[in-house]
Amino acid sequence: MRPAQVVFGPLVARVMNGAAGRYTQFPNALHRRNMITLKDHLYFAKATAEGAGRNGIVKSTGDSPLELKLAMPKVAAGKGDGQNPEQLFAMGYSSCFLGALQLAASRADQKEMAENAKITASVFLGHPTDPDMDGFGLRVELNVEGCDDDAIIQAAHDVGSPMHSDNPAHR
């Protein structure tokens, strides 16, 4: 298992090497996520939230419509009888990173390296350590199983980076 940690604003990623739990910083992991302008789009998704905010309903239309009841987790003084945005974010992030990992392995002519990979994303909601920042922040920890190649894992991080010139979606 190879955990990586991502903190949004600025983005920081780490990967654990070896069973001893030694963390190493990715060389170009410190990015600020920038706004970009798309020349076109490959896919369009739309979601609508209504009701009592984090205790309301969220709906997505399109190829496979989805409707979920939202609920604050019990640990945050909620009922915990529905999904929460952090769960949905973790699901999306893990699936996107798996796709990026498989693409990076394929580009390296090592497609088999990531065929059976499994990505687990843990999303943490909390207060920033910087006393000058208000509100909440997210920390994301990614665990990569089934792919032990640090170069391919780094390349997967780069696939989603707006700073990476090989990503055609960000040109």
Side-chain angles (χ1 to χ4, degrees):
M1 191 177 307
R2 308 176 73 67
Q5 178 176 318
V6 180
V7 179
F8 286 89
L11 179 66
V12 177
R14 297 180 186 270
V15 66
M16 187 188 316
N17 291 322
R22 181 175 56 85
Y23 282 90
T24 56
Q25 182 79 28
F26 283 122
N28 62 350
L30 203 51
H31 300 285
R32 288 207 179 271
R33 293 292 185 177
N34 298 320
M35 296 298 290
I36 61 170
T37 302
L38 300 177
K39 68 178 179 179
D40 59 10
H41 64 271
L42 302 174
Y43 179 74
F44 167 74
K46 182 178 179 179
T48 304
E50 59 186 62
R54 290 183 56 106
N55 291 302
I57 293 173
V58 65
K59 299 175 186 176
S60 178
T61 58
D63 297 341
S64 183
L66 177 64
E67 181 174 325
L68 298 171
K69 177 183 176 190
L70 299 178
M72 289 286 288
K74 288 181 182 180
V75 70
K79 292 182 181 179
D81 60 347
Q83 286 69 43
N84 62 66
E86 293 75 28
Q87 286 176 303
L88 303 176
F89 185 83
M91 293 170 74
Y93 202 105
S94 62
S95 65
C96 286
F97 191 80
L98 178 59
L101 184 72
Q102 291 170 340
L103 176 63
S106 179
R107 286 180 176 173
D109 291 325
Q110 297 183 38
K111 183 178 178 182
E112 70 287 345
M113 180 73 67
E115 284 179 339
N116 297 315
K118 180 177 172 181
I119 308 298
T120 302
S122 300
V123 175
F124 301 86
L125 177 67
H127 297 95
T129 55
D130 183 345
D132 295 328
M133 293 181 74
D134 292 329
F136 293 99
L138 290 178
R139 183 178 84 229
V140 176
E141 292 178 359
L142 293 175
N143 291 312
V144 177
E145 296 178 58
C147 179
D148 294 326
D149 188 312
D150 287 342
I152 289 177
I153 293 170
Q154 177 60 52
H157 278 284
D158 293 343
V159 166
S161 171
M163 311 280 245
H164 195 272
S165 61
D166 288 345
N167 187 347
H170 297 289
R171 284 189 197 149

